Amino acid sequence: MNFSEHDIYKAIEEQQPVGFYRWLGASVIGHNCRRYIALQFRCAFDQKFSARILRVFENGHKAEDRIVSDLMKAGVEVTDQQKMIDIPGALGHAGVTLDGIVVYKGERGVLEMKTSKSTDWNKLHKSGVKEAKRQHYCQMQFGMLLTGLRFALYVSENKDTNELHVEVVPFNQSMADDLVSLALGVVANPTPSMLTKCSERDDWYECNYCSAKSICKGDALPRVHCLTCAHSRAVGGGKWTCELYKSEIPGDHLSKGCSNHIYLPWMVNRKM
């Protein structure tokens, strides 16, 4: 028999869906690079993951069930898991998906659950989520703003030791307002001046593992479909219209585009 782990990896990678997720989630909005946020919202690049990373994601989902069970043992009620809430004014294109709402001794807050490898978890445990995991911190600020709750319970599990880091995070109105403004700007088609990069350096460490690097800093072109086209506009109900044809774009056509495709100018890094 000729079979190895590589056969499993190949099968996992081949079965992952082609990325065309058109909802701007709170975890993405907290990303350190505004250009990345806008490119991802417009599905400009094909974000494929290795089999190892896909299995890491799966383990993270399984850990959430265990964390919820542990919280309940400690007297914490967990409700509203995976509840989606839209950002007002974002036309159904952006919002937050809650890990849950916690209720403890009569107090209600947002629940956020994560897993981290030891090196990241140790930094988190030492410095706190605001300093060590900005995206997670921003995600909770969105959750608090959109639910009206004023604290979040952050629970991170060390994937190597199963230790838990638990932190109560207060609401930050100023940051939440800034994040909402960013999300609304991205949905409404941002100006180039709004799309600052996390760094202009080609060798910046965050860019080295970014799926958008070849488009953002290289001369690769974005994917050709309706969302990367200058004629498309986000409208209410999470839908899109084409200003060229003056009509709504059918959902099953968004990923295809047409022969009249013209790139949004801010998307293209190469000189045309």
Side-chain angles (χ1 to χ4, degrees), residues 187-202:
V187 170
N189 196 8
T191 60
S193 61
M194 177 183 172
L195 300 178
T196 54
K197 302 177 183 179
C198 58
S199 175
E200 293 295 335
R201 287 175 47 183
D202 291 338

Side-chain angles (χ1 to χ4, degrees), residues 19-20 22 38-39 41-44 93 187 189 222-235 239-245 247-267:
F20 205 76
R22 304 189 307 276
L39 287 170
F41 174 62
R42 289 277 182 160
C43 302
H93 290 270
V187 170
N189 196 8
R223 297 162 68 187
V224 176
H225 52 61
C226 291
L227 299 193
T228 60
C229 181
H231 299 306
S232 65
R233 289 290 181 272
V235 294
K239 298 178 180 180
W240 294 81
T241 61
C242 176
E243 294 190 338
L244 179 64
Y245 292 103
S247 63
E248 180 184 321
I249 305 172
D252 60 356
H253 188 76
L254 284 171
S255 62
K256 301 173 183 177
C258 72
S259 59
N260 291 310
H261 179 278
I262 300 175
Y263 280 118
L264 285 157
W266 61 261
M267 280 191 176

Side-chain angles (χ1 to χ4, degrees), residues 21 23 25-26 82-85 95-100 112 139:
Y21 189 66
W23 200 64
Q82 299 307 304
K83 180 178 180 179
M84 298 177 72
I85 307 176
V96 66
T97 302
L98 299 175
D99 280 349
E112 189 64 42
Q139 194 170 353

Side-chain angles (χ1 to χ4, degrees), residues 19-270:
F20 205 76
Y21 189 66
R22 304 189 307 276
W23 200 64
L24 184 59
S27 60
V28 177
I29 301 168
H31 196 280
N32 197 33
C33 180
R34 292 187 170 196
R35 183 167 170 79
Y36 173 88
I37 297 168
L39 287 170
Q40 174 149 319
F41 174 62
R42 289 277 182 160
C43 302
F45 55 92
D46 190 4
Q47 191 170 27
K48 288 187 176 182
F49 299 100
S50 68
R52 184 189 70 81
I53 295 298
L54 290 170
R55 297 185 79 248
V56 168
F57 291 160
E58 185 179 2
N59 286 337
H61 294 313
K62 292 178 179 178
E64 290 183 4
D65 294 335
R66 182 168 62 248
I67 290 171
V68 169
S69 176
D70 290 341
L71 287 171
M72 294 175 67
K73 291 173 185 175
V76 180
E77 181 184 355
V78 179
T79 66
D80 297 283
Q81 289 183 261
Q82 299 307 304
K83 180 178 180 179
M84 298 177 72
I85 307 176
D86 288 336
I87 296 173
L91 306 174
H93 290 270
V96 66
T97 302
L98 299 175
D99 280 349
I101 299 292
V102 293
V103 184
Y104 183 64
K105 294 184 178 180
E107 294 188 86
R108 301 177 74 247
V110 170
L111 173 64
E112 189 64 42
M113 298 176 286
K114 301 293 184 184
T115 61
S116 296
K117 60 184 180 181
S118 285
T119 51
D120 291 339
W121 190 90
N122 289 335
K123 293 177 184 177
L124 168 67
H125 198 55
K126 179 180 179 181
S127 304
V129 63
K130 185 177 181 180
E131 296 296 326
K133 292 288 184 178
R134 183 183 184 277
Q135 279 186 257
H136 299 174
Y137 182 80
C138 292
Q139 194 170 353
M140 289 183 282
Q141 297 305 326
F142 259 114
M144 287 182 272
L145 179 68
L146 298 181
T147 58
L149 301 174
R150 289 302 177 262
F151 80 87
L153 187 68
Y154 180 73
V155 184
S156 178
E157 180 177 304
N158 186 321
K159 292 186 288 189
D160 302 317
T161 67
N162 292 117
E163 293 174 276
L164 295 176
H165 169 82
V166 178
E167 185 177 343
V168 177
V169 178
F171 180 54
N172 185 330
Q173 181 77 59
S174 177
M175 173 169 278
D177 289 342
D178 288 345
L179 290 168
V180 167
S181 294
L182 173 60
L184 295 178
V186 169
V187 170
N189 196 8
T191 60
S193 61
M194 177 183 172
L195 300 178
T196 54
K197 302 177 183 179
C198 58
S199 175
E200 293 295 335
R201 287 175 47 183
D202 291 338
D203 61 347
W204 185 246
Y205 75 99
E206 289 178 283
C207 301
N208 289 335
Y209 52 81
C210 179
S211 300
K213 183 179 180 180
S214 62
I215 295 172
C216 180
K217 293 189 173 180
D219 61 0
L221 290 173
R223 297 162 68 187
V224 176
H225 52 61
C226 291
L227 299 193
T228 60
C229 181
H231 299 306
S232 65
R233 289 290 181 272
V235 294
K239 298 178 180 180
W240 294 81
T241 61
C242 176
E243 294 190 338
L244 179 64
Y245 292 103
K246 307 298 181 185
S247 63
E248 180 184 321
I249 305 172
D252 60 356
H253 188 76
L254 284 171
S255 62
K256 301 173 183 177
C258 72
S259 59
N260 291 310
H261 179 278
I262 300 175
Y263 280 118
L264 285 157
W266 61 261
M267 280 191 176
V268 181
N269 188 55
R270 68 157 66 168

